[in-house]
Amino acid sequence: MNIVLEHLIASGIIERFFLNIAAMTVLVFGLFYQRYRDKELVTAASLFNIFAFGVLTILGSVEFSLAAGFGLFAILALFTLRSEQITKIEISYFFGAVAIAVICSIKGTTLPFVIAVIVLVLLAAYLFDHPRILKSVDGIKVTLDKIEPDALSDTDKMRRELSDRLGVEVMSYQIVALNYITDMAQISVFYRK
């Protein structure tokens, strides 16, 4: 046990792990959760970051073929095919959590260089997703019990009707599903208060 601990300390893995945890915490808890309050994605991104760090640390210490790397990414792609649809912002933060794990786990880079890259990544995420830089637009999924005849053909009219019905300024909408049998429509609506 002492030999394993000595190896972990000597290789810098423990320092990189705690740096990874600190950076991921700032990104996922400090930025994403404070702005969007999505506990499910925070938990998933945090755990995925930790698991990715572990896998990449092991893969970095053994000989690993290119084919095995492509196989690993194919497995990751299956997760996205089997998962519920998530927003572009959620995907970005999720990818950010994985990217931090990759940055921290790659051997051959100095710790000050890794810290500098992480600081730049976190600073850019903070700035580009700051509510004062881009006005925030909220989203909601709505089910309508009647399909408007011009829902697909007259987007401006549909946007005005949704704005009137919801009492907010609808910026855009996306029809997710139309069911002419039950005369229902599922719509993702993006709005400003």
Side-chain angles (χ1 to χ4, degrees), residues 2-3 52 66 77 79 106 130 167-168:
N2 287 340
I3 295 172
L66 186 61
F79 286 130
I106 292 179
H130 197 281
V168 294

Side-chain angles (χ1 to χ4, degrees), residues 4-186:
V4 173
L5 188 58
E6 288 174 12
H7 175 70
L8 290 174
I9 292 170
S11 65
I13 291 173
I14 291 178
E15 292 170 324
R16 287 175 180 263
F17 178 73
F18 284 115
L19 177 62
N20 173 57
I21 294 297
M24 179 269 303
T25 300
V26 169
L27 179 73
V28 174
F29 290 92
L31 296 178
F32 181 77
Y33 185 74
Q34 292 301 317
R35 292 178 182 165
Y36 302 101
R37 301 287 184 195
D38 185 348
K39 179 186 175 216
E40 189 174 318
L41 186 91
V42 166
T43 304
S46 300
L47 292 175
F48 206 93
N49 168 279
I50 293 166
F51 301 151
F53 180 87
V55 169
L56 292 167
T57 300
I58 294 295
L59 292 178
S61 64
V62 296
E63 200 167 308
F64 191 68
S65 73
L66 186 61
F70 281 122
L72 181 63
F73 279 105
I75 291 169
L76 293 175
L78 286 176
F79 286 130
T80 60
L81 292 175
R82 297 277 184 199
S83 302
E84 70 180 49
Q85 201 172 22
I86 62 175
T87 67
K88 292 172 183 71
I89 289 176
E90 291 171 333
I91 289 170
S92 299
Y93 276 96
F94 194 85
F95 180 76
V98 173
I100 286 171
V102 172
I103 292 166
C104 290
S105 65
I106 292 179
K107 290 184 178 180
T109 55
T110 64
L111 208 51
F113 178 70
V114 171
I115 291 170
V117 170
I118 287 175
V119 167
L120 290 173
V121 167
L122 292 175
L123 182 63
Y126 173 79
L127 290 174
F128 287 115
D129 190 35
H130 197 281
R132 289 188 184 154
I133 299 214
L134 294 174
K135 249 188 163 178
S136 182
V137 174
D138 292 320
I140 188 170
K141 292 183 179 163
V142 176
T143 301
L144 301 177
D145 58 356
K146 181 181 178 233
I147 299 173
E148 301 297 330
D150 50 3
L152 296 174
S153 62
D154 191 349
T155 56
D156 290 333
K157 181 179 177 190
M158 185 67 179
R159 190 169 353 111
R160 283 190 306 274
E161 287 180 16
L162 285 168
S163 293
D164 293 342
R165 198 177 244 194
L166 298 173
V168 294
E169 179 188 359
V170 173
M171 305 306 293
S172 65
Y173 67 92
Q174 179 181 15
I175 298 175
V176 178
L178 290 173
N179 187 334
Y180 284 104
I181 295 171
T182 60
D183 202 30
M184 294 180 74
Q186 292 179 345

